[in-house]
């Protein structure tokens, strides 16, 4: 019996056959898990849930000067939660589009609030735009994370 046959027999006998992690196939597959992560991120960000940068952002995104200059994930959560409260709370989050970009997924999702955030009396364009967030998600350490 050669070494490979012996190893397969031993693993099979003692029940240590371990399936590949679910993310292993996702790089080749669709972006469903990336969409789910985006919706969860937006929900948590707008409802004040404390989030770990390591679990949500790629290493590159965490180190980006623009992100750190903004105040990081805690500042984003604080600002997003304040906006949701201002407009009566978080409403539905709808994924608008998903595109494969190499091994990454680009996901756009719209956030709505319980009351309309648009103000027709405000001349600022930003005050009357849809709240659409676009993320590029990539797998890092087994999880879809925000790359940008």
């Amino acid at each position: 019996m050669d070494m490979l046959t012996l190893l397969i027999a031993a693993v099979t006998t003692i029940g240590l056959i371990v399936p590949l992690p679910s993310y292993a196939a996702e790089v080749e597959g669709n972006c469903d898990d990336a969409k789910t992560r985006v919706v969860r991120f937006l929900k948590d960000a707008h409802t004040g849930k404390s989030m770990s940068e390591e679990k949500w952002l790629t290493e590159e995104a965490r180190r980006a000067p623009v992100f750190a200059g903004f105040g990081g994930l805690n500042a984003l959560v604080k600002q997003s939660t304040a906006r949701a409260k201002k407009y009566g709370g978080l409403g539905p989050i709808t994924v608008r589009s998903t595109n494969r970009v190499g091994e990454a997924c680009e996901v756009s999702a719209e956030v709505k609030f319980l009351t309309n955030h648009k103000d027709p009396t405000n001349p600022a364009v930003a005050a009357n735009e849809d709240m659409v967030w676009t993320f590029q998600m990539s797998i890092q350490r087994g999880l879809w994370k925000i790359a940008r």
Side-chain angles (χ1 to χ4, degrees):
M1 185 180 296
D2 65 21
M3 187 59 127
L4 179 59
T5 307
L6 181 61
L7 181 60
I8 291 171
V11 168
T12 304
T13 303
I14 57 177
L16 293 178
I17 296 178
V18 178
L20 285 173
S22 62
Y23 64 84
E26 287 300 320
V27 174
E28 298 299 325
N30 60 39
C31 295
D32 288 345
D33 287 344
K35 290 190 285 189
T36 300
R37 289 276 291 171
V38 165
V39 171
R40 169 56 71 192
F41 177 84
L42 291 170
K43 180 180 177 191
D44 290 353
H46 286 84
T47 57
K49 184 171 181 181
S50 178
M51 293 189 280
S52 162
E53 290 184 357
E54 292 77 24
K55 290 183 181 177
W56 287 101
L57 307 171
T58 63
E59 293 169 14
E60 297 79 17
R62 290 193 306 268
R63 288 193 307 258
V66 69
F67 185 71
F70 172 75
L73 190 53
N74 288 334
L76 183 138
V77 170
K78 186 176 180 181
Q79 182 182 37
S80 299
T81 301
R83 176 173 273 217
K85 285 180 182 176
K86 179 178 178 180
Y87 296 109
L90 181 63
I93 300 170
T94 307
V95 173
R96 283 185 157 191
S97 66
T98 306
N99 297 307
R100 169 74 64 195
V101 181
E103 290 189 359
C105 290
E106 190 169 278
V107 180
S108 291
E110 181 177 9
V111 173
K112 293 198 178 202
F113 303 106
L114 296 180
T115 60
N116 189 357
H117 74 279
K118 295 181 181 180
D119 180 2
T121 63
N122 189 335
V125 174
N128 291 298
E129 290 181 343
D130 291 338
M131 292 290 302
V132 177
W133 297 62
T134 301
F135 298 96
Q136 185 167 352
M137 305 292 288
S138 68
I139 292 179
Q140 194 172 73
R141 298 191 180 156
L143 289 173
W144 283 102
K145 295 184 181 185
I146 298 167
R148 69 161 179 84

